[in-house]
RNA sequence: GGAGAGAUGGCAGAGUGGUCGAUUGCACCUGACUUGAAAUCAGGCGGUGCCGCAAGGCAUCCGGGGGUUCGAAUCCCUCUCUCUCCGCCA
């Protein structure tokens, strides 16, 4: 949610930002609803104030007196009017709330113009593909033993499409990746949290999954819980409706969770193998920071994610997402894409974003400065990293002529061997 | 799942229809005393919204929602959560 003051006092700026994002929002309707709301509030408060004063007088009168009885009769009409005005206020606030939630966050000045993903800017590329990618590279699903290591068919039997089993050393490799990501984040100052995998509607609303992206989440209807599409949801909600100490900022947390996404309608080309799943593992980095620091914190967050790919020796590039392709709640966003040498495609493995105060406002996460009023924190998050596509890149890029896969040095401590083969 | 108790400010804990945003204690901040500190004393100390350049004023908030009443922290209904006991269980 945008700051209502910004909305009404710097309307032109907001309008320009929304235009850059290519969103269609009737800002005039938002402003009008705000005005109706404020007018209703003012009217109600005057009536209420009068009623309060009269009630104070009545308290001083003897209960049974004729004077008292007369006042009661008189106040009945005033009371009815207060109730009526109060109803008007809550209606006006409801209308305004609904409409203001449709206004997206505005993009930061450093975000490039653009309409689609084709307009995203490549800001850097790491790793020499000719050196780091195997000469016998092939798509991971074409590796001879692939279906033994990652069993999609039995996953279909047990659950449905997109819920594979990882078997034997492949399961071990998954666990090694999780360990590696968590340990690296720990060294970078993130406190590990092990979070709930189901959340209530209030949490899903605070981080922005509800009401718009409802169809993307699995819903446990008996208890009205949602399966998390990312650890961002429970981890960010940890501090929902709380006021943090300024001295504790920045707060940095890391969480590993499975993620569940219905991915309704997005199946089609390029989603074979590990490229898109209904259940996948991800390690997520979340930061709550001082508003003045959030854009530098975004750079360091991106650095924390990049370092993982470097240590795994996987070529990647960094995209600065253009205004038209950036998310609804985001102010600025970088994507990290790993090079999958077999598919010869870039695969997104991380998205690092600054939400500024947009998400904090929705979630009610604030801090108390040493002086002055309570303020909203800025929230950021980034994957560090999503597992399946990293796994795909490792399998494809490190495939050996003998059909085995060399495991990156950084993972051997937890994987325990040098190669993977079935 | 069954029975009972409860939810009040950062924490503890009063308050059962009017002068209660709420006694008090702790914590915290400021000042006095002190070489400094402790102790003591005095004062201050919540969020949100609206109006205002500001000082400030008004409104609102006692778990959430609804109701009764001229008036609700206080009475009624409902939901959620917590605790205790019993049952079941990884």
């Amino acid at each position: 949610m945008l700051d209502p003051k910004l909305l009404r006092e710097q309307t032109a700026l907001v309008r320009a930002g929304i235009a850059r994002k290519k969103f269609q929002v009737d800002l005039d309707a938002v402003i009008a609803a705000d005005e109706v709301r404020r007018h209703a509030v003012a009217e109600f408060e005057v009536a209420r104030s009068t009623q309060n004063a009269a009630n104070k007088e009545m308290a001083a009168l003897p209960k049974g007196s004729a004077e008292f009885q007369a006042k009661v009769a008189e106040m009945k009409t005033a009371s009815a009017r207060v109730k009526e005005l109060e109803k008007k206020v809550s209606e006006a606030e409801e209308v305004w709330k609904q409409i203001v939630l449709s206004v997206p966050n505005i993009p930061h000045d450093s975000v490039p113009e653009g309409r689609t993903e084709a307009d995203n800017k490549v800001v850097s590329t790491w790793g020499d593909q000719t050196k780091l990618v195997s000469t016998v590279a092939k798509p991971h699903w074409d590796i001879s033993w692939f279906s033994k290591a990652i069993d999609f068919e039995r996953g279909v039997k047990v659950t449905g499409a997109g819920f594979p089993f990882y078997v034997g050393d492949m399961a071990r490799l998954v666990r090694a990746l999780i360990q590696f990501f968590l340990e690296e984040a720990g060294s970078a100052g993130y406190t590990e949290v092990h979070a709930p995998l189901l959340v209530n509607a209030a949490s899903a609303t605070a981080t922005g999954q509800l009401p718009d992206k409802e169809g993307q989440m699995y819903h446990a209807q008996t208890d009205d819980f949602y399966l998390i599409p990312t650890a961002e949801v429970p981890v960010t909600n940890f501090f929902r409706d709380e006021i943090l100490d300024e001295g504790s900022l920045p707060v940095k947390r890391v969480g590993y969770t499975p993620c569940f996404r219905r991915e309704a309608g997005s199946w089609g080309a390029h989603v074979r193998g590990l490229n898109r799943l209904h259940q996948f593992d991800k390690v997520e980095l979340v930061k709550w920071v001082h508003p003045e620091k959030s854009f530098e914190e975004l750079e360091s967050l991106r650095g924390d994610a990049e370092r993982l790919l470097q240590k795994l020796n996987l070529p990647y590039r960094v995209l600065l997402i253009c205004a038209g392709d950036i998310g609804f709640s985001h102010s600025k966003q970088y994507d990290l894409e790993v090079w999958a040498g077999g598919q010869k495609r870039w695969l997104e493995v991380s998205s690092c974003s600054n939400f500024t105060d947009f998400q904090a406002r929705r979630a009610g996460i604030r801090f108390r400065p040493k002086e002055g009023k309570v303020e909203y924190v800025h929230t950021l998050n980034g994957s560090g990293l999503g597992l399946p596509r990293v796994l795909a890149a490792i399998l494809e890029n490190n495939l050996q002529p003998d059909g085995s896969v060399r495991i990156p040095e950084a993972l051997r401590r937890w994987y325990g061997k040098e190669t993977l083969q079935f």
Side-chain angles (χ1 to χ4, degrees):
Chain A
M1 188 175 121
L2 270 189
D3 183 355
K5 281 216 179 71
L6 188 76
L7 212 46
R8 91 179 152 240
E9 285 162 20
Q10 310 221 42
T11 314
L13 189 112
V14 173
R15 205 182 293 277
I18 295 170
R20 294 224 296 144
K21 272 199 170 178
K22 317 296 178 206
F23 268 82
Q24 298 298 321
V25 177
D26 188 351
L27 256 199
D28 295 324
V30 179
I31 306 265
D34 185 39
E35 223 147 87
V36 168
R37 170 185 139 260
R38 281 155 65 217
H39 182 74
V41 166
E43 211 178 353
F44 161 74
E45 287 184 356
V46 169
R48 188 61 151 159
S49 183
T50 312
Q51 187 192 32
N52 284 346
N55 275 325
K56 239 170 217 179
E57 283 174 38
M58 287 177 69
L61 295 173
K63 277 270 161 58
S65 68
E67 228 183 336
F68 186 89
Q69 293 305 336
K71 266 283 192 204
V72 168
E74 183 188 319
M75 287 313 291
K76 281 202 186 202
T77 43
S79 171
R81 176 154 169 77
V82 165
K83 274 206 180 128
E84 196 184 300
L85 291 173
E86 191 173 23
K87 201 171 163 200
K88 256 170 88 177
V89 168
S90 59
E91 280 167 5
E93 298 214 304
E94 196 50 42
V95 167
W96 174 77
K97 216 170 125 186
Q98 285 308 314
I99 195 165
V100 83
L101 282 179
S102 72
V103 182
N105 199 357
I106 54 179
H108 190 251
D109 288 344
S110 61
V111 170
E113 297 295 330
R115 189 166 287 277
T116 68
E117 60 181 346
D119 301 316
N120 295 338
K121 294 265 175 301
V122 177
V123 295
S124 69
T125 303
W126 184 92
D128 182 344
Q129 291 163 36
T130 60
K131 274 197 196 147
L132 294 180
V133 174
S134 157
T135 49
V136 294
K138 57 171 84 166
H140 59 277
W141 55 81
D142 286 340
I143 296 172
S144 60
W145 42 261
F146 180 74
S147 62
K148 284 187 209 150
I150 304 184
D151 196 330
F152 278 80
E153 282 187 30
R154 290 199 173 85
V156 167
K157 176 175 72 182
V158 172
T159 305
F163 292 90
F165 282 89
Y166 302 80
V167 179
D169 281 347
M170 186 59 87
R172 203 179 166 76
L173 182 57
V174 167
R175 182 156 52 84
L177 276 165
I178 294 166
Q179 273 276 26
F180 170 64
F181 292 154
L182 286 173
E183 292 290 331
E184 287 291 317
S187 308
Y190 294 80
T191 301
E192 185 174 343
V193 291
H194 199 68
L197 305 183
L198 283 81
V199 295
N200 57 32
S203 293
T205 306
T207 34
Q209 278 68 35
L210 291 180
D212 296 345
K213 299 172 196 155
E214 184 147 26
Q216 286 300 329
M217 286 188 293
Y218 290 98
H219 186 196
Q221 295 182 19
T222 309
D223 295 290
D224 198 23
F225 292 148
Y226 293 86
L227 276 73
I228 58 169
T230 159
E232 171 198 342
V233 180
V235 175
T236 304
N237 274 282
F238 187 89
F239 291 118
R240 174 152 54 86
D241 296 326
E242 292 192 27
I243 299 174
L244 309 176
D245 286 331
E246 185 178 29
S248 69
L249 303 179
V251 178
K252 298 160 77 174
R253 292 282 171 88
V254 58
Y256 153 70
T257 67
C259 302
F260 305 91
R261 298 187 183 178
R262 296 188 61 236
E263 301 288 5
S266 67
W267 241 263
H270 303 310
V271 295
R272 293 189 65 182
L274 295 168
N275 290 5
R276 177 159 288 153
L277 301 170
H278 284 307
Q279 178 185 325
F280 65 98
D281 298 291
K282 182 160 62 67
V283 171
E284 185 77 4
L285 308 169
V286 179
K287 299 207 273 197
W288 296 258
V289 309
H290 194 285
E292 286 167 12
K293 302 269 176 62
S294 67
F295 287 95
E296 28 181 302
E297 291 283 359
L298 177 63
E299 298 304 317
S300 75
L301 175 66
R302 183 189 105 185
D304 293 333
E306 281 189 53
R307 207 173 315 115
L308 300 169
L309 290 167
Q310 291 170 11
K311 289 195 177 180
L312 291 173
N313 242 331
L314 296 171
Y316 69 89
R317 63 179 188 177
V318 181
L319 297 180
L320 176 55
I321 306 304
C322 73
D325 195 35
I326 210 171
F328 179 80
S329 321
H330 308 54
S331 174
K332 186 173 182 179
Q333 177 183 351
Y334 290 105
D335 279 2
L336 267 50
E337 295 186 330
V338 72
W339 180 251
Q343 301 176 59
K344 299 190 169 38
R345 286 184 61 215
W346 295 102
L347 299 178
E348 183 192 327
V349 290
S350 179
S351 183
C352 300
S353 315
N354 183 1
F355 298 97
T356 61
D357 63 347
F358 193 85
Q359 191 177 56
R361 235 167 239 290
R362 213 163 154 137
I365 306 174
R366 295 172 292 171
F367 73 98
R368 198 182 298 280
K370 283 182 200 73
E371 285 180 15
K373 294 191 70 171
V374 171
E375 279 183 65
Y376 286 95
V377 299
H378 282 194
T379 58
L380 300 94
N381 69 48
S383 346
L385 303 162
L387 278 262
R389 292 174 187 167
V390 171
L391 199 57
I394 290 173
L395 297 181
E396 294 183 15
N397 297 357
N398 298 345
L399 188 65
Q400 304 301 302
D402 67 358
S404 69
V405 168
R406 275 191 73 74
I407 299 305
E409 192 72 42
L411 296 176
R412 291 193 194 155
R413 183 172 153 204
W414 293 287
Y415 178 70
K417 294 191 235 178
E418 290 186 13
T419 59
L420 172 68
Q421 175 145 44
F422 279 75

